[in-house]
Amino acid sequence: MKDLLSIRDLPKDETIKIIKSASIMKKHLMRKDQLDYGFNGKTLITLFYEPSTRTRVSFEIAAKLLGMNAVNIEPSTSSIVKGESLKDTIKTLSGMHVDMIVMRHPITGAPGIAAKNTSASVINAGDGINEHPTQALLDLFTMMEYKGDIKGLKIAIIGDILHSRVARSNIYLLSKFGAKIHVTGPSTLIPPGLKQMGAVVHKDIKSTLEGADVVMTLRVQRERQALGFFPSFKEYFSLFGLNKERMSYAHPDAILMHPGPVNRGIEIDDTVDNVLTANRQVTNGVAVRMALIKRLAEANRRGGFDLNPISDNDNMHKISDLKEHAL
Ligand code: NCD
């Protein structure tokens, strides 16, 4: 296990190990423990070609609590604006012997291209509309904290499924754990193939919410709204927004999840009094990422995967040459 590119690549037993480890990491996080697993000197890079607050910062905090160096690269102020290709950027980072690259990119599959060009572990932090595997892990962890085993639970996912990497990764992961996924949203934002992924698609919000144990509403992606997938935010709220009355269709103990950032008054209004887990999801995001980084770092320490090793002798030879010439 060098990389985490898709949640589909993570076997169920590995997922359970990560969730268990995340619950221990959460205690360390709450106590602000500085941990020492021998990762001192390892470097994690965050390379985000799309905006982020939660995901990027949580990876940085996670790496630092584990004793690693965390370095953020801002594409808008790096050589990327000079036209450097993704492959070359990744090779440059490899040349600095970084250990992990956490990457968000607008194009599906970009983290996979990065992974092929480096011996560092690549973690997909969102690739276009494709996947966001660590969000699915933190969502599963959060659901398990509130509900225990999620097998057989009804999970309602509402909104822009078409553009949601969060929904896609969650549907893959939660169905692997036996949850029953029900989705709804504007018909223009419901992609084909959901049935094959194991989800039940509804036309109306009432039947989607009825008896749901978990309600996950997605952010309306204003940045992808240029094509006018629905007439207005007001209309979106009137059909798919969550208020107290709508939430009363769900199970009385239903939790309300949101990956953030929340658009108040569009996805959710202030009348809802169910537990909104958005902040808990953020906390759990740090814990899950600590667990994942630790797991990848340990797996790679055993494997030793340097694709471009520098022999000490070569190096010494060149340095002594240099000295001679310098003299
Ligand atoms: C999501 C993302 O960027 O995929 N945010 C996140 O990582 N918590 C959700 C979104 O922006 O819609």
Side-chain angles (χ1 to χ4, degrees):
M1 193 169 95
K2 173 170 106 60
D3 311 298
L4 181 61
L5 302 174
S6 161
I7 199 65
R8 284 177 289 178
D9 299 338
L10 203 63
K12 204 172 163 185
D13 60 333
E14 247 335 303
T15 308
I16 293 168
K17 274 185 202 154
I18 290 172
I19 300 288
K20 281 187 178 161
S21 163
S23 70
I24 298 168
M25 292 301 174
K26 188 167 174 178
K27 293 192 184 107
H28 290 307
L29 170 68
M30 302 305 223
R31 290 198 299 254
K32 299 185 187 290
D33 293 338
Q34 181 62 59
L35 302 165
D36 182 5
Y37 294 107
F39 301 152
N40 197 334
K42 288 195 180 290
T43 301
L44 175 141
I45 301 279
T46 47
L47 176 62
F48 279 53
Y49 293 78
E50 280 189 348
S52 170
T53 304
R54 293 156 191 74
T55 309
R56 186 176 65 72
V57 176
S58 65
F59 269 108
E60 275 186 43
I61 293 174
K64 285 178 179 163
L65 288 173
L66 292 169
M68 296 171 78
N69 302 315
V71 177
N72 178 48
I73 297 179
E74 196 52 67
S76 63
T77 55
S78 73
S79 290
I80 292 159
V81 286
K82 298 181 187 168
E84 188 171 61
S85 71
L86 173 62
K87 273 188 193 168
D88 284 342
T89 300
I90 296 297
K91 284 182 179 163
T92 303
L93 296 173
S94 283
M96 295 182 207
H97 283 259
V98 304
D99 300 279
M100 280 184 203
I101 301 173
V102 179
M103 189 178 151
R104 174 170 286 185
H105 199 282
I107 296 173
T108 293
I113 293 171
K116 286 201 182 86
N117 285 281
T118 179
S119 57
S121 289
V122 175
I123 301 174
N124 179 4
D127 60 330
I129 62 169
N130 184 36
E131 277 221 47
H132 193 349
T134 58
Q135 179 73 37
L137 285 173
L138 75 89
D139 286 340
L140 174 64
F141 177 33
T142 306
M143 285 177 207
M144 285 177 161
E145 275 190 335
Y146 281 100
K147 303 284 172 194
D149 189 1
I150 66 151
K151 191 166 180 216
L153 292 194
K154 177 172 178 179
I155 297 174
I157 305 183
I158 295 156
D160 179 355
I161 316 284
L162 178 67
H163 296 121
S164 180
R165 50 199 177 206
V166 174
R168 198 158 285 105
S169 287
N170 261 303
I171 295 171
Y172 288 132
L173 184 63
L174 301 174
S175 30
K176 210 189 281 182
F177 278 79
K180 296 187 187 115
I181 318 289
H182 293 251
V183 306
T184 196
S187 57
T188 48
L189 295 172
I190 300 291
L194 285 172
K195 213 170 151 194
Q196 287 83 326
M197 287 168 73
V200 179
V201 180
H202 295 254
K203 286 209 161 58
D204 68 306
I205 193 155
K206 188 165 184 237
S207 62
T208 317
L209 289 173
E210 257 159 8
D213 302 284
V214 175
V215 179
M216 182 186 291
T217 183
L218 303 167
R219 183 177 68 88
V220 169
Q221 311 221 343
R222 293 160 184 258
E223 69 274 27
R224 304 191 215 264
Q225 195 31 40
L227 293 176
F229 288 97
F230 51 86
S232 68
F233 293 129
K234 202 169 162 212
E235 174 153 333
Y236 180 91
F237 184 77
S238 76
L239 292 171
F240 300 104
L242 294 172
N243 54 21
K244 189 174 178 157
E245 189 206 326
R246 288 211 169 125
M247 283 303 291
S248 71
Y249 304 140
H251 190 282
D253 290 334
I255 55 166
L256 175 54
M257 303 183 73
H258 192 300
V262 177
N263 294 303
R264 298 265 171 202
I266 300 179
E267 296 114 27
I268 306 175
D269 79 4
D270 290 333
T271 62
V272 173
D273 53 15
N274 291 67
V275 175
L276 174 62
T277 65
N279 273 341
R280 173 87 73 107
Q281 288 168 266
V282 172
T283 306
N284 289 350
V286 181
V288 150
R289 286 163 182 138
M290 289 170 78
L292 175 68
I293 293 170
K294 178 171 180 282
R295 191 89 194 103
L296 285 173
E298 284 172 349
N300 294 337
R301 185 156 56 192
R302 281 196 304 275
F305 55 84
D306 195 347
L307 299 174
N308 188 18
I310 299 172
S311 130
D312 278 352
N313 287 341
D314 285 0
N315 219 21
M316 287 312 290
H317 177 68
K318 282 183 188 132
I319 289 172
S320 52
D321 277 0
L322 190 76
K323 271 192 190 148
E324 267 172 42
H325 287 110
L327 288 170

